[in-house]
Amino acid sequence: MVLSMNWLSDYVKINASPKEFSDRMTDTGSKVEGFEVLGEKIKNVVVGKILSIEKHPDSDHLLICQIDEGTGDSVQIITGAHNISVGDLVPVAKHDSYLPDGTHIKSGKLRGLPSNGMLCSLGELGLTSHDFPYAQEDGIFILQEDCKPGDDIRDVLDLNDIVVEFEITPNRPDCLSVIGLAREAAASYNVPMTLSKPRVKNVSKDNINDYLSVEVKDNDLCPRYTARMVKNIKIKPSPKWLRTRLRNSGVRPINNIVDITNYVCLEYGQPMHAFDYEYLKGGKIIVRRAEKGEKITTLDDIERNLSEKMLVISDAEKAVAIAGVMGGQNSEINNDTKTIVFESANFYGPSVRTTSRSIGLRTEASGRYEKGLDPENTLPAVERACELIELLDAGEVVDGIIDVYGKKAVQAEIDFEPEKINRFLGTEIPEKFMLDTFKMLDIEYKNGKLYPPSFRADLLCMQDIAEEVVRIYGYNAIKSSKFVAESLVGRRNDRQKYLADINRLLRGLGLYEIQTYSFISPKYYEKINLPEEKRRSVIISNPLGEDTSVMRTTALPGMLEALSTNRRKRISSCGLYEMAKIYIPKEEDSLAEERISTTIVFYGSGDFYTIKGYIEELLAMSGIKKYNVSAEKNNPSYHPGRCAAFSVNDKVIAIIGQLHPSVMGNYDFDCPVYAAEIDTEYLITAKNTVREYKPLPKFPAITRDLSLVCEKSLEAGTIQKAISKYAGNLLESVSVFDVYTDAKLGENKKSIAYSLALRSPDKTLSDEEGDNVVEKILKGLEKDFDIKLRS
Amino acid sequence: MKEKLHALYAKAMEEVASLNTSDEQISKSLEDFKVKYLGKKSELVSIMKEMGSLSKEERPIMGQLANDVRSKIEKAYGEAKEKVSKLELAAKLQAETIDVTLPGKCIAPGKAHPISAVQSEIEDIFIGLGFEIVDGPEVEYDYYNFTALNIPPEHPARDTQDTFYINSNVLLRTQTSSVQIHVMENKKPPIRVISPGRVYRSDAIDATHSPMFHQVEGLVVDKGITMGDLKGTLELFSQNMFGENTKIRFRPHHFPFTEPSAEVDVSCFACGGKGCRLCKGEGWIEILGAGMVHPDVLKRCGIDPEEYSGFAFGMGIERIVMKKYNIDDMRLLYENDIRFLSQF
């Protein structure tokens, strides 16, 4: 809402700078987005009278003018425009002047002759022919104003106004009007407001009922419909003061009738429409729901398909307007219009909103109706329109008003309990201040009860009243307090603590945490070769685009996008992880299963065993000692020979591996990429963070290294399990320290070396005891796998 | 004999004085000295052997003198040895000197994403104030996101949050405020929770908009909670988050689910309120929306507004991140370029 301060001063006198006014209004609840002092940028532009015109000797199109700028001397200015005559009054930008777009005009020479300024067009003053209909757009602005040479152009053209732009919240449609903001300003400054009742002085002898009938068929969607008629219309431009006010409020002047409807809408906040009576068939206005298949061409020249849910205004035959949205072309006023019907109606907000959204047409009117307008406002608004008709000499107002008003809204009644309000706010606002505030805001106080005005449908309970009081009193006058309440333990729960631990571990391992979008393109599944059955996703019905149209069931493809971004930027080594939700669809109409998932991706330094090490560390941190690692040959996202599944209690807890070459190709990776997908929800249930102290060993361990030769395909994990089995309970630890292959070992053979630590809790083991264990192991390995000691 | 002892002493002293270098031979020289003057076959021993030829009277005097000479040489030898070992150590340390300006060796740890880092910071402050952290669904029923928050179908406030719908009944939550309803349905007061998480709005991606972003919601419901308490809590939060001299400012606003409602500014943490580029000369930065929980919302969750009152607040994490680190383009937060991420 753009407010002209000149217009506001019709209702309330405010003595404050624009900045002070803006701050105060913001503090009391009408948020100011900014203000502009109009004409501020124009400097040194005055009215000039053309004394003589002659051709420039060295140019075909330039004219040399002598101008009277009101200083007594004549000033030479050269212009290229040809619509000027001697005696014309024109805007002159003098030497060292500024135009609204910041242009600095200085004396200079044009084709060798001095020119001491510039004659201005409408556009150069930031205006259009809508602002001054008599002026032509291309050429110098020939003034028809009452002015004399030397007058400041800002005064002459009424550019001296301050406009303030408000951001009005949807609960206050009453503030989308000059009167509404005047009321707020008056309350904010505790000064009186003058609001006069519009009055039509002369009316014709005939009556509106002689010409028109109004029938409201669907009064659930139209609580009130008020109409007045005007005949002998003289369509012409509005006077300058009205055009200026519209322009300063951001509305383009059109002609007197259209301007009046816009003016009233701005002033009263009540949308108005004018029908050409000649085109209302049968002299009827019927407010009804549209018929199936009904169509209307709106004022913007677009044919609109209507549905039975939409409310229309129709005559005896056809729809002439979409109620609360836009009028129809078939009843639009034109230069030959003789008789008009002013509509000032109240429509049900949600219905207007649905209609405007379904036909994709939002208008000034629909934006207002959506928020719920005051039905009491229709009558004063239509009266104001007719008052302006008289004032502008635009026609003859027909006697009588048609006013179809259904059931009036029940007025809210709220107990006034000042102590309760203060208790709720934590304030000590005097009762008198509250009562004064109610008076300023037109809230009636009677017998301990409060009755909000009809335009404040948002005031229903004590809390609403408390807000009214405290916003005028000042939010910042509320003293901060620390609430006294039952002590509660603020802490992260076990799950949250554990997730934080995982985060810390992964960062400690050198991985960067990233954040990727929860929604992805369905094509992303293709890029990681995800099996069809795992692609079922929660689908967004109105996505921004395909790229963000489904909720991910895996974070892997989004993370690979991020990883490839880094690779493209020639970063040599990069490790990333994300811990965030994935969304598994459930049955139709229920919510998704949202699971925390942790995904790691990296390229550069490290290999398969690096990512395996990450998971081993994670499991160790999680207190999970028993888990199984097995080769995973059939996961299509990964290299079939370099992929493994970690499982706990036979349930997979993580998949790790090197990406399948085709997946790498899909992301244009030129180096191996490794990934791990961790089922974090399962990890949370499997974790064991209870730690128990075990006494430190009293006796030393003895160590034995075994270099074994076995089949190349035999997995280290299998051998290790067998070692543990045959070693018995003296084995404290076993680990691989070397693997190599060599033709000397024999075809398809490899060497694998283990380091064993043996320890007894009761004594120092002898070499002999150690050798016995080794012997048992070697026998067992030979029997089971034909493994031999390397010679 | 006396003269012999004196001469021996003088010779030894002269010799020991020269043992003050740290060259490689010195240990041997020291050892030689010890053998020569203090060993079993030393000159001193051979002089002592002559004791037998002395008179009874002379014997103790000479014995005394010989012992004196011996202990003095021993002392001088000890001192020389200590001095030499000091010199040797100094030489060793000198030889082991390294270039301390060469770079360090370490596995460089990764870092938290700035959104997570700021989120944790916010969480920690509220945990300190006795708040719990709760989570809520992101794929949410329309009821929890809108209707239960006093935003029924066709309410104009729905326009301010362009919504992604799954179907007519299910959507991607546009605000973490939906968690308020879940909490109040499942828990009786006293309630003191925050709920951080992802929210979604149908805004095209540009420097200041993202269709997905993060919010933190806060909710307190108890007996006798006042708007002053809301202010006090947010003041404590802001001072912990942005610096102890931070001030806050409330501006009236409208949220359908709180009454009264406020937008909350904090004094600019870059300039302290004087006005700078970060706060666009205002001295204040808008950071929060807040208000007293609307009685209809309490009632809908089975909480009697006559007995209980509460406040709620919400803030956008990206906004705080961007202001805190002076980031001018939101897209950087989701591009995940490690050259960006490593800066925090």
Side-chain angles (χ1 to χ4, degrees):
Chain A
M1 170 79 192
V2 178
L3 175 72
S4 148
M5 291 299 280
N6 284 345
W7 199 342
L8 183 77
S9 68
D10 284 3
Y11 293 99
V12 60
K13 302 282 179 250
I14 302 293
N15 255 328
S17 73
K19 172 86 175 93
E20 284 163 4
F21 178 71
S22 301
D23 289 348
R24 177 62 186 155
M25 292 300 280
T26 298
D27 279 347
T28 60
S30 307
K31 187 180 182 185
V32 173
E33 290 281 282
F35 61 84
E36 190 188 347
V37 180
L38 296 179
E40 191 181 35
K41 290 175 186 146
I42 301 178
K43 273 191 200 115
N44 228 358
V45 181
V46 300
V47 176
K49 188 174 183 178
I50 300 177
L51 301 173
S52 70
I53 303 172
E54 52 187 300
K55 282 201 67 176
H56 193 295
D58 294 329
S59 165
D60 289 340
H61 69 279
L62 293 178
L63 299 174
I64 303 167
C65 306
Q66 301 302 324
I67 306 287
D68 171 8
E69 293 176 350
T71 54
D73 302 324
S74 81
V75 177
Q76 174 169 305
I77 291 176
I78 297 173
T79 180
H82 285 251
N83 66 324
I84 45 171
S85 319
V86 171
D88 281 349
L89 293 170
V90 294
V92 177
K94 297 167 68 165
H95 166 64
D96 196 18
S97 61
Y98 289 88
L99 298 178
D101 65 356
T103 309
H104 188 193
I105 305 292
K106 285 178 284 192
S107 296
K109 279 188 174 173
L110 276 171
R111 293 281 169 98
L113 293 176
S115 177
N116 300 305
M118 185 176 91
L119 307 187
C120 303
S121 68
L122 270 178
E124 281 154 350
L125 294 172
L127 302 166
T128 71
S129 62
H130 289 281
D131 303 314
F132 290 91
Y134 62 80
Q136 71 181 78
E137 296 239 357
D138 51 343
I140 302 302
F141 181 10
I142 313 296
L143 297 165
Q144 294 179 20
E145 308 299 316
D146 180 17
C147 59
K148 59 180 195 307
D151 286 353
D152 190 319
I153 201 72
R154 292 176 296 184
D155 297 331
V156 174
L157 299 179
D158 253 342
L159 295 176
N160 289 320
D161 197 354
I162 293 157
V163 295
V164 182
E165 192 182 348
F166 288 89
E167 182 198 316
I168 301 298
T169 52
N171 61 325
R172 293 301 304 275
D174 62 305
C175 287
L176 294 170
S177 69
V178 178
I179 291 175
L181 286 174
R183 189 178 293 111
E184 287 295 319
S188 301
Y189 283 91
N190 196 20
V191 293
M193 172 179 174
T194 29
L195 184 59
S196 60
K197 205 173 158 190
R199 197 157 274 138
V200 182
K201 293 195 190 83
N202 302 298
V203 288
S204 65
K205 296 242 160 47
D206 45 1
N207 189 284
I208 185 170
N209 291 305
D210 302 340
Y211 305 100
L212 184 72
S213 71
V214 173
E215 183 191 356
V216 177
K217 282 193 170 163
D218 293 300
N219 60 17
D220 56 332
L221 303 186
C222 177
R224 190 176 190 182
Y225 196 98
T226 308
R228 281 207 82 157
M229 277 179 74
V230 183
K231 59 184 189 180
N232 301 325
I233 291 289
K234 287 168 267 181
I235 302 279
K236 57 185 177 183
S238 301
K240 189 173 74 172
W241 66 266
L242 196 148
R243 292 199 314 267
T244 304
R245 282 194 172 178
L246 288 182
R247 186 182 71 228
N248 292 355
S249 308
V251 175
R252 209 176 66 172
I254 309 283
N255 62 42
N256 52 358
I257 302 301
V258 176
D259 291 354
I260 285 172
T261 59
N262 287 334
Y263 189 90
V264 172
C265 182
L266 288 169
E267 191 169 43
Y268 280 72
Q270 169 66 45
M272 303 279 297
H273 185 64
F275 293 106
D276 188 330
Y277 175 73
E278 201 181 319
Y279 299 101
L280 292 179
K281 288 283 150 59
K284 275 190 179 169
I285 282 179
I286 302 165
V287 185
R288 59 165 172 86
R289 283 180 163 87
E291 283 156 21
K292 201 175 174 191
E294 196 169 0
K295 289 185 166 110
I296 184 172
T297 301
T298 41
L299 289 173
D300 52 4
D301 202 21
I302 296 171
E303 190 181 63
R304 314 270 177 184
N305 295 315
L306 304 174
S307 82
E308 292 142 298
K309 281 185 183 165
M310 300 173 183
L311 192 72
V312 295
I313 314 301
S314 77
D315 61 14
E317 293 173 359
K318 61 186 184 297
V320 292
I322 303 173
V325 182
M326 193 179 261
Q329 221 171 38
N330 52 21
S331 54
E332 184 182 8
I333 56 164
N334 57 58
N335 287 337
D336 301 323
T337 297
K338 289 286 169 276
T339 307
I340 60 163
V341 175
F342 274 133
E343 167 197 284
S344 178
N346 187 266
F347 301 115
Y348 180 61
S351 155
V352 173
R353 185 174 184 275
T354 316
T355 303
S356 122
R357 285 173 81 89
S358 59
I359 61 178
L361 176 61
R362 294 210 55 184
T363 60
E364 178 68 26
S366 74
R368 289 168 181 270
Y369 278 121
E370 273 178 21
K371 298 179 179 80
L373 298 181
D374 174 17
E376 291 296 315
N377 206 16
T378 64
L379 192 58
V382 81
E383 291 289 83
R384 176 62 168 160
C386 291
E387 185 183 55
L388 287 167
I389 290 280
E390 281 195 323
L391 193 66
L392 269 55
D393 188 25
E396 191 183 354
V397 179
V398 176
D399 194 16
I401 300 168
I402 294 179
D403 189 12
V404 184
Y405 197 172
K407 221 166 65 187
K408 278 200 181 193
V410 184
Q411 193 179 24
E413 185 186 273
I414 305 159
D415 290 334
F416 176 49
E417 297 164 285
E419 286 130 56
K420 202 168 163 184
I421 291 175
N422 274 324
R423 227 172 22 243
F424 176 64
L425 296 172
T427 51
E428 287 164 13
I429 303 172
E431 187 176 336
K432 179 164 183 317
F433 181 89
M434 297 189 190
L435 291 171
D436 288 347
T437 301
F438 299 148
K439 202 173 275 173
M440 296 304 295
L441 296 172
D442 283 357
I443 300 168
E444 195 187 348
Y445 172 64
K446 213 165 54 191
N447 302 328
K449 306 227 183 251
L450 296 167
Y451 301 92
S454 60
F455 53 83
R456 292 301 306 274
D458 59 317
L459 302 182
L460 296 166
C461 58
M462 177 278 281
Q463 288 78 2
D464 295 325
I465 293 299
E467 181 175 72
E468 294 306 295
V469 169
V470 76
R471 72 186 176 90
I472 302 296
Y473 184 72
Y475 271 32
N476 293 308
I478 300 173
K479 283 203 192 79
S480 297
S481 53
K482 313 273 182 286
F483 55 82
V484 182
E486 195 176 311
S487 293
L488 296 175
V489 179
R491 61 180 193 97
R492 289 190 169 83
N493 60 28
D494 283 351
R495 176 191 168 90
Q496 291 158 348
K497 272 189 273 191
Y498 177 61
L499 293 177
D501 285 345
I502 298 177
N503 268 294
R504 266 192 295 276
L505 174 73
L506 296 181
R507 292 201 294 268
L509 293 171
L511 299 166
Y512 275 87
E513 188 201 11
I514 66 167
Q515 298 259 5
T516 64
Y517 283 141
S518 307
F519 27 52
I520 58 173
S521 163
K523 285 186 184 140
Y524 277 24
Y525 294 139
E526 197 70 49
K527 287 180 94 170
I528 60 160
N529 298 341
L530 192 73
E532 208 60 55
E533 68 272 14
K534 289 188 180 164
R535 295 187 189 183
R536 201 170 76 85
S537 310
V538 175
I539 298 165
I540 299 167
S541 66
N542 59 334
L544 280 175
E546 200 200 11
D547 278 359
T548 52
S549 62
V550 302
M551 300 302 281
R552 64 183 182 194
T553 60
T554 161
L556 183 61
M559 295 204 60
L560 290 175
E561 293 289 338
L563 194 71
S564 71
T565 299
N566 282 289
R567 185 62 187 165
R568 271 200 305 279
K569 292 178 176 170
R570 309 232 160 273
I571 287 152
S572 60
S573 186
C574 180
L576 310 173
Y577 80 94
E578 182 176 26
M579 182 192 284
K581 286 178 176 176
I582 56 172
Y583 309 82
I584 313 297
K586 295 199 288 198
E587 62 273 28
E588 188 73 15
D589 228 44
S590 69
L591 303 181
E593 183 191 353
E594 297 181 12
R595 295 174 68 86
I596 293 278
S597 149
T598 309
T599 309
I600 301 170
V601 293
F602 78 85
Y603 66 77
S605 60
D607 57 18
F608 175 88
Y609 297 105
T610 311
I611 202 147
K612 188 179 178 198
Y614 292 163
I615 304 302
E616 286 167 350
E617 285 302 322
L618 175 60
L619 292 172
M621 183 201 82
S622 309
I624 298 173
K625 290 184 184 131
K626 285 189 179 165
Y627 57 86
N628 188 48
V629 181
S630 56
E632 181 77 21
K633 299 193 185 309
N634 300 315
N635 189 314
S637 303
Y638 295 93
H639 187 306
R642 295 185 177 185
C643 175
F646 277 76
S647 40
V648 175
N649 297 329
D650 292 332
K651 202 169 153 323
V652 173
I653 209 158
I655 295 283
I656 63 164
Q658 181 178 336
L659 286 190
H660 195 280
S662 70
V663 174
M664 286 192 4
N666 291 338
Y667 291 92
D668 292 331
F669 281 113
D670 53 0
C671 59
V673 173
Y674 301 91
E677 297 168 89
I678 303 153
D679 185 339
T680 314
E681 295 290 349
Y682 181 42
L683 198 56
I684 291 168
T685 63
K687 75 175 174 17
N688 173 20
T689 45
V690 179
R691 298 283 188 270
E692 200 187 346
Y693 156 76
K694 262 197 270 173
L696 301 178
K698 289 198 181 74
F699 300 98
I702 54 172
T703 57
R704 289 288 185 276
D705 290 349
L706 304 180
S707 288
L708 308 172
V709 177
C710 66
E711 287 299 315
K712 210 173 182 179
S713 60
L714 191 61
E715 289 178 336
T718 310
I719 303 173
Q720 190 162 325
K721 255 186 227 152
I723 292 174
S724 301
K725 187 173 90 184
Y726 292 114
N729 53 14
L730 291 181
L731 182 70
E732 186 179 65
S733 70
V734 51
S735 58
V736 177
F737 71 86
D738 187 35
V739 180
Y740 83 96
T741 51
D742 191 322
K744 285 181 203 153
L745 295 170
E747 202 167 324
N748 281 327
K749 295 278 181 189
K750 70 178 168 190
S751 161
I752 181 158
Y754 287 91
S755 173
L756 277 57
L758 306 170
R759 194 197 299 270
S760 160
D762 313 316
K763 58 177 181 178
T764 303
L765 291 177
S766 65
D767 281 350
E768 201 186 342
E769 283 166 314
D771 293 343
N772 286 341
V773 172
V774 169
E775 200 172 320
K776 266 193 270 174
I777 292 170
L778 291 175
K779 260 188 195 154
L781 291 178
E782 179 153 19
K783 180 169 65 97
D784 290 357
F785 306 111
D786 192 25
I787 294 176
K788 295 200 166 61
L789 210 54
R790 198 171 85 212
S791 48
Chain B
M1 190 170 181
K2 190 178 173 183
E3 287 72 33
K4 274 186 183 170
L5 281 170
H6 279 300
L8 179 71
Y9 176 67
K11 205 172 118 201
M13 283 304 115
E14 191 184 320
E15 211 167 300
V16 83
S18 71
L19 297 173
N20 60 357
T21 63
S22 67
D23 64 49
E24 285 164 29
Q25 301 300 317
I26 192 71
S27 294
K28 186 164 186 305
S29 307
L30 266 175
E31 204 44 46
D32 291 349
F33 178 85
K34 192 179 171 188
V35 172
K36 187 171 170 190
Y37 292 99
L38 301 166
K40 283 175 189 161
K41 292 175 180 170
S42 65
E43 207 173 328
L44 188 64
V45 173
S46 34
I47 294 173
M48 297 281 268
K49 278 180 185 156
E50 293 171 23
M51 286 284 243
S53 62
L54 295 176
S55 68
K56 223 189 250 173
E57 294 77 26
E58 271 182 321
R59 222 179 276 164
I61 297 164
M62 278 305 127
Q64 180 68 38
L65 182 66
N67 279 337
D68 271 2
V69 167
R70 186 181 176 89
S71 68
K72 276 181 181 160
I73 294 173
E74 270 173 350
K75 189 169 171 248
Y77 167 75
E79 281 166 2
K81 195 176 173 185
E82 197 183 317
K83 198 165 162 192
V84 163
S85 67
K86 272 188 190 157
L87 287 168
E88 272 179 343
L89 183 63
K92 183 169 183 268
L93 296 181
Q94 174 63 37
E96 284 170 4
T97 298
I98 56 165
D99 181 354
V100 295
T101 64
L102 285 171
K105 288 183 216 166
C106 169
I107 299 174
K111 287 183 175 178
H113 191 283
I115 292 175
S116 315
V118 167
Q119 180 179 319
S120 302
E121 216 179 323
I122 295 169
E123 287 174 1
D124 288 341
I125 293 168
F126 282 106
I127 283 172
L129 297 174
F131 283 65
E132 276 181 272
I133 305 168
V134 294
D135 191 26
E138 294 170 23
V139 179
E140 180 63 284
Y141 288 114
D142 181 287
Y143 175 80
Y144 287 92
N145 194 70
F146 286 131
T147 308
L149 293 164
N150 287 346
I151 312 172
E154 299 309 328
H155 190 283
R158 289 196 173 207
D159 282 349
T160 58
Q161 300 174 10
D162 286 329
T163 309
F164 289 118
Y165 283 92
I166 306 304
N167 56 47
S168 59
N169 198 23
V170 179
L171 43 72
L172 299 186
R173 68 175 178 190
T174 59
Q175 46 190 2
T176 43
S177 307
S178 53
V179 185
Q180 284 185 32
I181 307 298
H182 288 290
V183 169
M184 287 192 282
E185 278 182 351
N186 294 315
K187 197 172 172 353
K188 292 288 138 236
I191 291 170
R192 222 175 296 165
V193 298
I194 59 164
S195 184
R198 292 180 165 186
V199 299
Y200 305 87
R201 291 187 195 174
S202 179
D203 287 323
I205 301 167
D206 65 24
T208 53
H209 293 90
S210 168
M212 181 189 96
F213 56 101
H214 294 73
Q215 286 186 335
V216 179
E217 191 77 8
L219 176 70
V220 171
V221 182
D222 206 343
K223 286 179 180 155
I225 295 294
T226 71
M227 197 156 169
D229 298 336
L230 166 62
K231 236 178 134 172
T233 303
L234 294 182
E235 205 164 76
L236 266 179
F237 163 72
S238 303
Q239 286 164 354
N240 277 287
M241 187 75 200
F242 304 114
E244 57 181 338
N245 295 321
T246 305
K247 291 182 190 63
I248 61 168
R249 179 173 83 169
F250 272 43
R251 281 180 288 104
H253 196 66
H254 171 68
F255 303 109
F257 43 98
T258 50
E259 190 72 29
S261 304
E263 280 185 330
V264 184
D265 302 333
V266 298
S267 53
C268 177
F269 32 85
C271 65
K274 288 194 280 288
C276 66
R277 255 181 58 203
L278 187 72
C279 58
K280 301 199 174 89
E282 293 282 314
W284 297 94
I285 294 173
E286 186 190 324
I287 231 104
L288 277 147
M292 301 300 288
V293 182
H294 197 289
D296 290 350
V297 174
L298 292 174
K299 269 186 246 170
R300 213 168 276 129
C301 300
I303 295 172
D304 180 3
E306 291 297 320
E307 191 181 355
Y308 293 102
S309 55
F311 61 75
F313 55 86
M315 61 190 111
I317 300 179
E318 276 80 351
R319 185 170 167 77
I320 297 176
V321 169
M322 290 173 74
K323 289 290 178 190
K324 184 176 164 137
Y325 299 114
N326 212 352
I327 298 167
D328 56 3
D329 193 333
M330 201 164 171
R331 285 168 291 204
L332 286 165
L333 293 172
Y334 292 103
E335 201 177 58
N336 297 307
D337 186 324
I338 58 168
R339 293 169 303 176
F340 171 77
L341 297 175
S342 61
Q343 293 180 26
F344 304 100

